[in-house]
Every structure is written in C-alpha cells, then in structure tokens.
Amino acid sequence: MSTTATYTVKGMTCGHCVASVKDEVSGITGVSDVVVELESGAVTVTSESPLDIATVQAAVEEAGYELVS
Ligand SMILES: [Cu+2]
C-alpha cells in the first residue's frame, strides 16, 4: 500500500526547475512517483511509506528550491 502527499515548492520558474525538483525528490528512498506542477508549485509524491518532511525538504533544497509548509 503506497501513500501520497502533496507539498508546495517555491521558486520554480520553468520546465528545467520542474525537472530538477522531480529528479531530486525521485531519488528519495521508497519514492515511486513524483508529479510536479509548475504553476501552483504543487509536488505530489507517492511513496511506499510516509516520508519525513525533513527528507523531502532536503531534496528540494538540494535542487535549489524551497519547501513551503
Ligand atoms: Cu527553471
């Protein structure tokens, strides 16, 4: 059974930004799917088990953006 959570990321301006965020978040252990919406900044993550918000935040920051809580 997988779980889905939606986060909001600030600072993405183009398709390249979307790809960077998607790339980093996809790299988190247990993540099976990542959908990033450029306009709203919504990042929907499907994973095997609930993710630690700090883990998601670290991945987003690694990509160069900011997680809004
Ligand atoms: Cu960009």
Side-chain angles (χ1 to χ4, degrees):
M1 178 90 175
S2 62
T3 177
T4 300
T6 302
Y7 307 91
T8 304
V9 172
K10 207 167 78 178
M12 296 188 294
T13 55
C14 70
H16 200 125
C17 302
V18 169
S20 303
V21 169
K22 195 176 157 115
D23 233 50
E24 286 294 338
V25 176
S26 296
I28 299 170
T29 306
V31 170
S32 55
D33 191 43
V34 181
V35 177
V36 181
E37 285 170 38
L38 177 59
E39 279 185 27
S40 62
V43 177
T44 303
V45 183
T46 305
S47 55
E48 287 166 13
S49 54
L51 296 172
D52 189 339
I53 183 91
T55 305
V56 179
Q57 191 163 18
V60 167
E61 281 173 8
E62 188 67 35
Y65 306 96
E66 201 183 319
L67 198 68
V68 182
S69 43

